[in-house]
Amino acid sequence: TYETLGVWFTFPPPPSDEQEMMAYGMGVHVAEHALVTSLTVLVGCDKGDVGSSWMILHPDTQRPTVFLFDEAPGGVGICESAFERLDGWLPLALRVVTSCQCKEGCPSCVMTPGCPDRNANLDKAEGIARLRSLQFSGGMPGYNPLR
């Protein structure tokens, strides 16, 4: 373990139906990938400079949550810089997924190298819905810088 800088995103609560919750989780997973990809474009870094994780129900937020963090111990300001550009970051993340012409997701839009799940359990349509829930959440209360 090490201390670093990061940011987290919370999503509206998932449905209680188990099958719908699985689909919802696959959308959160897509959102994680899109947020990482768009962050690298936004601040001009490599995907290897940023770590990420997601949970369908995080114990601290009690919601589906995506975490992005600087891979460098102590942080180098990557996530902090992206957080300061949140107004551009979220539309870019949505555009990464929606601008691709594929139907179900591909390496250009929803897959990312180094995914611990080997890019399994991804649902492009659900990912778009999850990103839109962040995009238009009015006031964006779930975005909080970590220090």
Side-chain angles (χ1 to χ4, degrees), residues 92-112:
L92 181 58
L94 183 60
R95 203 164 42 251
V96 162
V97 182
T98 59
S99 66
C100 187
Q101 299 302 311
C102 76
K103 290 190 184 243
E104 300 197 13
C106 69
S108 293
C109 64
V110 303
M111 296 177 182
T112 188

Side-chain angles (χ1 to χ4, degrees), residues 39-64:
L39 180 151
T40 63
V41 171
L42 190 68
V43 302
C45 68
D46 186 84
K47 285 185 180 181
D49 295 333
V50 180
S52 63
S53 180
W54 70 277
M55 293 183 77
I56 192 65
L57 188 62
H58 190 273
D60 292 332
T61 65
Q62 293 298 305
R63 290 177 175 255

Side-chain angles (χ1 to χ4, degrees), residues 2-5 39 43 51 57 84 97 100 108 113-114 118 123-124 128 132 138 140 142 146:
Y2 58 92
E3 288 190 28
T4 190
L5 298 174
L39 180 151
V43 302
L57 188 62
E84 290 169 358
V97 182
C100 187
S108 293
R118 298 182 187 169
D123 184 309
K124 183 176 179 176
I128 292 169
R132 285 189 172 139
M140 298 181 261
L146 297 172

